[in-house]
PDB file of all heavy atoms in Angstrom:
ATOM      1  N   TYR W  12     145.571  44.411  25.974  1.00  0.00           N
ATOM      2  CA  TYR W  12     145.840  45.848  25.950  1.00  0.00           C
ATOM      3  C   TYR W  12     144.512  46.477  25.535  1.00  0.00           C
ATOM      4  O   TYR W  12     144.195  46.472  24.340  1.00  0.00           O
ATOM      5  CB  TYR W  12     146.884  46.211  24.902  1.00  0.00           C
ATOM      6  CG  TYR W  12     148.279  45.672  25.153  1.00  0.00           C
ATOM      7  CD1 TYR W  12     148.738  44.539  24.502  1.00  0.00           C
ATOM      8  CD2 TYR W  12     149.154  46.352  25.998  1.00  0.00           C
ATOM      9  CE1 TYR W  12     150.028  44.072  24.693  1.00  0.00           C
ATOM     10  CE2 TYR W  12     150.458  45.886  26.194  1.00  0.00           C
ATOM     11  CZ  TYR W  12     150.883  44.749  25.541  1.00  0.00           C
ATOM     12  OH  TYR W  12     152.169  44.293  25.725  1.00  0.00           O
ATOM     13  N   GLY W  13     143.733  46.973  26.455  1.00  0.00           N
ATOM     14  CA  GLY W  13     142.389  47.432  26.097  1.00  0.00           C
ATOM     15  C   GLY W  13     141.626  46.245  25.539  1.00  0.00           C
ATOM     16  O   GLY W  13     141.456  45.232  26.221  1.00  0.00           O
ATOM     17  N   GLN W  15     142.688  44.760  22.747  1.00  0.00           N
ATOM     18  CA  GLN W  15     143.670  43.949  21.992  1.00  0.00           C
ATOM     19  C   GLN W  15     144.131  42.763  22.828  1.00  0.00           C
ATOM     20  O   GLN W  15     144.702  42.929  23.911  1.00  0.00           O
ATOM     21  CB  GLN W  15     144.865  44.837  21.619  1.00  0.00           C
ATOM     22  CG  GLN W  15     146.054  44.112  21.054  1.00  0.00           C
ATOM     23  CD  GLN W  15     145.855  43.685  19.606  1.00  0.00           C
ATOM     24  OE1 GLN W  15     145.437  44.480  18.780  1.00  0.00           O
ATOM     25  NE2 GLN W  15     146.139  42.434  19.317  1.00  0.00           N
ATOM     26  N   HIS W  16     143.869  41.571  22.329  1.00  0.00           N
ATOM     27  CA  HIS W  16     144.221  40.359  23.044  1.00  0.00           C
ATOM     28  C   HIS W  16     145.661  39.982  22.671  1.00  0.00           C
ATOM     29  O   HIS W  16     145.922  39.622  21.538  1.00  0.00           O
ATOM     30  CB  HIS W  16     143.250  39.250  22.615  1.00  0.00           C
ATOM     31  CG  HIS W  16     143.201  38.109  23.571  1.00  0.00           C
ATOM     32  ND1 HIS W  16     142.406  37.019  23.385  1.00  0.00           N
ATOM     33  CD2 HIS W  16     143.847  37.891  24.727  1.00  0.00           C
ATOM     34  CE1 HIS W  16     142.563  36.180  24.392  1.00  0.00           C
ATOM     35  NE2 HIS W  16     143.432  36.694  25.217  1.00  0.00           N
ATOM     36  N   ALA W  17     146.596  40.051  23.613  1.00  0.00           N
ATOM     37  CA  ALA W  17     148.006  39.776  23.284  1.00  0.00           C
ATOM     38  C   ALA W  17     148.460  38.402  23.759  1.00  0.00           C
ATOM     39  O   ALA W  17     149.266  37.758  23.097  1.00  0.00           O
ATOM     40  CB  ALA W  17     148.902  40.857  23.884  1.00  0.00           C
ATOM     41  N   LEU W  18     147.983  37.940  24.917  1.00  0.00           N
ATOM     42  CA  LEU W  18     148.362  36.605  25.426  1.00  0.00           C
ATOM     43  C   LEU W  18     147.110  35.846  25.841  1.00  0.00           C
ATOM     44  O   LEU W  18     146.250  36.378  26.540  1.00  0.00           O
ATOM     45  CB  LEU W  18     149.299  36.729  26.637  1.00  0.00           C
ATOM     46  CG  LEU W  18     150.695  37.286  26.399  1.00  0.00           C
ATOM     47  CD1 LEU W  18     151.463  37.332  27.717  1.00  0.00           C
ATOM     48  CD2 LEU W  18     151.461  36.482  25.367  1.00  0.00           C
ATOM     49  N   GLY W  35     158.817  33.353  17.496  1.00  0.00           N
ATOM     50  CA  GLY W  35     157.470  33.635  17.000  1.00  0.00           C
ATOM     51  C   GLY W  35     157.509  34.805  16.057  1.00  0.00           C
ATOM     52  O   GLY W  35     158.430  35.621  16.108  1.00  0.00           O
ATOM     53  N   PRO W  36     156.515  34.914  15.183  1.00  0.00           N
ATOM     54  CA  PRO W  36     156.497  36.041  14.252  1.00  0.00           C
ATOM     55  C   PRO W  36     156.239  37.353  14.992  1.00  0.00           C
ATOM     56  O   PRO W  36     155.864  37.345  16.171  1.00  0.00           O
ATOM     57  CB  PRO W  36     155.323  35.701  13.315  1.00  0.00           C
ATOM     58  CG  PRO W  36     154.488  34.715  14.045  1.00  0.00           C
ATOM     59  CD  PRO W  36     155.369  34.016  15.020  1.00  0.00           C
ATOM     60  N   ASN W  37     156.409  38.466  14.325  1.00  0.00           N
ATOM     61  CA  ASN W  37     156.135  39.756  14.950  1.00  0.00           C
ATOM     62  C   ASN W  37     154.683  39.806  15.420  1.00  0.00           C
ATOM     63  O   ASN W  37     153.792  39.330  14.723  1.00  0.00           O
ATOM     64  CB  ASN W  37     156.386  40.895  13.947  1.00  0.00           C
ATOM     65  CG  ASN W  37     157.863  41.099  13.726  1.00  0.00           C
ATOM     66  OD1 ASN W  37     158.667  40.852  14.624  1.00  0.00           O
ATOM     67  ND2 ASN W  37     158.236  41.519  12.529  1.00  0.00           N
ATOM     68  N   GLY W  38     154.490  40.363  16.605  1.00  0.00           N
ATOM     69  CA  GLY W  38     153.128  40.504  17.127  1.00  0.00           C
ATOM     70  C   GLY W  38     152.614  39.252  17.813  1.00  0.00           C
ATOM     71  O   GLY W  38     151.452  39.202  18.226  1.00  0.00           O
ATOM     72  N   ALA W  39     153.461  38.236  17.970  1.00  0.00           N
ATOM     73  CA  ALA W  39     153.005  36.960  18.542  1.00  0.00           C
ATOM     74  C   ALA W  39     152.773  37.051  20.056  1.00  0.00           C
ATOM     75  O   ALA W  39     151.980  36.296  20.611  1.00  0.00           O
ATOM     76  CB  ALA W  39     154.028  35.864  18.258  1.00  0.00           C
ATOM     77  N   GLY W  40     153.496  37.973  20.719  1.00  0.00           N
ATOM     78  CA  GLY W  40     153.341  38.093  22.180  1.00  0.00           C
ATOM     79  C   GLY W  40     154.629  37.881  22.953  1.00  0.00           C
ATOM     80  O   GLY W  40     154.622  37.792  24.183  1.00  0.00           O
ATOM     81  N   LYS W  41     155.769  37.851  22.257  1.00  0.00           N
ATOM     82  CA  LYS W  41     157.054  37.594  22.922  1.00  0.00           C
ATOM     83  C   LYS W  41     157.404  38.731  23.891  1.00  0.00           C
ATOM     84  O   LYS W  41     157.689  38.495  25.056  1.00  0.00           O
ATOM     85  CB  LYS W  41     158.181  37.425  21.874  1.00  0.00           C
ATOM     86  CG  LYS W  41     157.920  36.336  20.861  1.00  0.00           C
ATOM     87  CD  LYS W  41     159.066  36.179  19.879  1.00  0.00           C
ATOM     88  CE  LYS W  41     159.305  37.363  18.963  1.00  0.00           C
ATOM     89  NZ  LYS W  41     158.205  37.661  18.030  1.00  0.00           N
ATOM     90  N   SER W  42     157.386  39.962  23.376  1.00  0.00           N
ATOM     91  CA  SER W  42     157.778  41.095  24.235  1.00  0.00           C
ATOM     92  C   SER W  42     156.813  41.250  25.396  1.00  0.00           C
ATOM     93  O   SER W  42     157.235  41.550  26.524  1.00  0.00           O
ATOM     94  CB  SER W  42     157.774  42.402  23.425  1.00  0.00           C
ATOM     95  OG  SER W  42     158.763  42.360  22.454  1.00  0.00           O
ATOM     96  N   THR W  43     155.542  41.038  25.146  1.00  0.00           N
ATOM     97  CA  THR W  43     154.550  41.168  26.218  1.00  0.00           C
ATOM     98  C   THR W  43     154.876  40.180  27.340  1.00  0.00           C
ATOM     99  O   THR W  43     154.891  40.548  28.521  1.00  0.00           O
ATOM    100  CB  THR W  43     153.133  40.899  25.650  1.00  0.00           C
ATOM    101  OG1 THR W  43     152.883  41.849  24.614  1.00  0.00           O
ATOM    102  CG2 THR W  43     152.075  41.016  26.724  1.00  0.00           C
ATOM    103  N   THR W  44     155.176  38.930  26.966  1.00  0.00           N
ATOM    104  CA  THR W  44     155.518  37.916  27.978  1.00  0.00           C
ATOM    105  C   THR W  44     156.743  38.356  28.764  1.00  0.00           C
ATOM    106  O   THR W  44     156.791  38.256  29.995  1.00  0.00           O
ATOM    107  CB  THR W  44     155.813  36.566  27.278  1.00  0.00           C
ATOM    108  OG1 THR W  44     154.723  36.238  26.428  1.00  0.00           O
ATOM    109  CG2 THR W  44     156.037  35.458  28.287  1.00  0.00           C
ATOM    110  N   LYS W  46     157.961  41.394  29.181  1.00  0.00           N
ATOM    111  CA  LYS W  46     157.702  42.573  30.024  1.00  0.00           C
ATOM    112  C   LYS W  46     156.975  42.157  31.299  1.00  0.00           C
ATOM    113  O   LYS W  46     157.202  42.719  32.369  1.00  0.00           O
ATOM    114  CB  LYS W  46     156.856  43.587  29.253  1.00  0.00           C
ATOM    115  CG  LYS W  46     157.654  44.373  28.230  1.00  0.00           C
ATOM    116  CD  LYS W  46     156.762  45.323  27.466  1.00  0.00           C
ATOM    117  CE  LYS W  46     157.479  45.910  26.269  1.00  0.00           C
ATOM    118  NZ  LYS W  46     156.557  46.483  25.294  1.00  0.00           N
ATOM    119  N   LEU W  52     155.201  45.125  33.244  1.00  0.00           N
ATOM    120  CA  LEU W  52     153.823  45.150  32.770  1.00  0.00           C
ATOM    121  C   LEU W  52     153.045  44.166  33.638  1.00  0.00           C
ATOM    122  O   LEU W  52     153.553  43.088  33.951  1.00  0.00           O
ATOM    123  CB  LEU W  52     153.823  44.670  31.316  1.00  0.00           C
ATOM    124  CG  LEU W  52     152.731  45.092  30.374  1.00  0.00           C
ATOM    125  CD1 LEU W  52     152.736  46.607  30.212  1.00  0.00           C
ATOM    126  CD2 LEU W  52     152.965  44.443  29.015  1.00  0.00           C
ATOM    127  N   GLU W  82     163.655  45.079  24.075  1.00  0.00           N
ATOM    128  CA  GLU W  82     163.723  45.261  22.624  1.00  0.00           C
ATOM    129  C   GLU W  82     164.157  46.713  22.358  1.00  0.00           C
ATOM    130  O   GLU W  82     163.816  47.605  23.117  1.00  0.00           O
ATOM    131  CB  GLU W  82     162.317  45.015  22.049  1.00  0.00           C
ATOM    132  CG  GLU W  82     162.301  44.761  20.572  1.00  0.00           C
ATOM    133  CD  GLU W  82     160.883  44.591  20.055  1.00  0.00           C
ATOM    134  OE1 GLU W  82     159.914  44.767  20.822  1.00  0.00           O
ATOM    135  OE2 GLU W  82     160.745  44.307  18.858  1.00  0.00           O
ATOM    136  N   ASP W 158     165.339  40.421  24.887  1.00  0.00           N
ATOM    137  CA  ASP W 158     164.301  40.573  23.862  1.00  0.00           C
ATOM    138  C   ASP W 158     164.955  40.955  22.535  1.00  0.00           C
ATOM    139  O   ASP W 158     165.425  42.082  22.375  1.00  0.00           O
ATOM    140  CB  ASP W 158     163.298  41.641  24.316  1.00  0.00           C
ATOM    141  CG  ASP W 158     161.990  41.571  23.543  1.00  0.00           C
ATOM    142  OD1 ASP W 158     161.929  40.813  22.547  1.00  0.00           O
ATOM    143  OD2 ASP W 158     161.040  42.265  23.929  1.00  0.00           O
ATOM    144  N   GLU W 159     164.994  40.021  21.628  1.00  0.00           N
ATOM    145  CA  GLU W 159     165.620  40.181  20.315  1.00  0.00           C
ATOM    146  C   GLU W 159     167.022  40.799  20.415  1.00  0.00           C
ATOM    147  O   GLU W 159     167.285  41.870  19.867  1.00  0.00           O
ATOM    148  CB  GLU W 159     164.721  41.009  19.393  1.00  0.00           C
ATOM    149  CG  GLU W 159     163.375  40.338  19.216  1.00  0.00           C
ATOM    150  CD  GLU W 159     162.653  40.716  17.947  1.00  0.00           C
ATOM    151  OE1 GLU W 159     163.263  41.371  17.085  1.00  0.00           O
ATOM    152  OE2 GLU W 159     161.485  40.346  17.822  1.00  0.00           O
ATOM    153  N   SER W 188     164.303  36.102  23.018  1.00  0.00           N
ATOM    154  CA  SER W 188     163.320  36.040  21.935  1.00  0.00           C
ATOM    155  C   SER W 188     163.995  36.348  20.611  1.00  0.00           C
ATOM    156  O   SER W 188     165.013  37.033  20.549  1.00  0.00           O
ATOM    157  CB  SER W 188     162.199  37.046  22.182  1.00  0.00           C
ATOM    158  OG  SER W 188     162.668  38.348  21.984  1.00  0.00           O
ATOM    159  N   ILE W 205     155.650  30.731  19.988  1.00  0.00           N
ATOM    160  CA  ILE W 205     154.386  31.400  20.296  1.00  0.00           C
ATOM    161  C   ILE W 205     153.813  31.982  19.010  1.00  0.00           C
ATOM    162  O   ILE W 205     154.562  32.459  18.143  1.00  0.00           O
ATOM    163  CB  ILE W 205     154.603  32.486  21.394  1.00  0.00           C
ATOM    164  CG1 ILE W 205     153.280  33.110  21.817  1.00  0.00           C
ATOM    165  CG2 ILE W 205     155.601  33.539  20.976  1.00  0.00           C
ATOM    166  CD1 ILE W 205     153.387  33.982  23.083  1.00  0.00           C
TER     167      ILE W 205
HETATM  168  P1  LIG Y 401     156.145  40.327  19.668  1.00  0.00           P
HETATM  169  O1  LIG Y 401     157.106  40.739  20.727  1.00  0.00           O
HETATM  170  O2  LIG Y 401     156.031  38.845  19.514  1.00  0.00           O
HETATM  171  O3  LIG Y 401     156.402  41.006  18.356  1.00  0.00           O
HETATM  172  P2  LIG Y 401     154.218  41.843  21.236  1.00  0.00           P
HETATM  173  O4  LIG Y 401     154.206  41.225  22.580  1.00  0.00           O
HETATM  174  O5  LIG Y 401     154.980  43.129  21.076  1.00  0.00           O
HETATM  175  O6  LIG Y 401     154.675  40.770  20.141  1.00  0.00           O
HETATM  176  O7  LIG Y 401     152.716  42.146  20.789  1.00  0.00           O
HETATM  177  C1  LIG Y 401     151.655  41.198  20.926  1.00  0.00           C
HETATM  178  C2  LIG Y 401     150.356  41.861  20.477  1.00  0.00           C
HETATM  179  O8  LIG Y 401     150.008  42.906  21.378  1.00  0.00           O
HETATM  180  C3  LIG Y 401     150.443  42.493  19.097  1.00  0.00           C
HETATM  181  O9  LIG Y 401     149.198  42.337  18.473  1.00  0.00           O
HETATM  182  C4  LIG Y 401     150.709  43.946  19.412  1.00  0.00           C
HETATM  183  O10 LIG Y 401     150.226  44.781  18.388  1.00  0.00           O
HETATM  184  C5  LIG Y 401     149.922  44.138  20.690  1.00  0.00           C
HETATM  185  N1  LIG Y 401     150.496  45.195  21.552  1.00  0.00           N
HETATM  186  C6  LIG Y 401     151.754  45.212  22.056  1.00  0.00           C
HETATM  187  N2  LIG Y 401     151.941  46.303  22.827  1.00  0.00           N
HETATM  188  C7  LIG Y 401     150.776  46.988  22.803  1.00  0.00           C
HETATM  189  C8  LIG Y 401     150.316  48.204  23.397  1.00  0.00           C
HETATM  190  N3  LIG Y 401     151.099  48.923  24.189  1.00  0.00           N
HETATM  191  N4  LIG Y 401     149.042  48.596  23.128  1.00  0.00           N
HETATM  192  C9  LIG Y 401     148.227  47.857  22.327  1.00  0.00           C
HETATM  193  N5  LIG Y 401     148.586  46.702  21.744  1.00  0.00           N
HETATM  194  C10 LIG Y 401     149.844  46.265  21.969  1.00  0.00           C
END
Side-chain angles (χ1 to χ4, degrees):
Y12 294 100
Q15 170 76 48
H16 199 180
L18 292 180
N37 287 330
K41 303 182 295 296
S42 294
T43 301
T44 307
K46 283 178 191 162
L52 205 62
E82 197 183 5
D158 197 351
E159 301 204 10
S188 72
I205 185 169

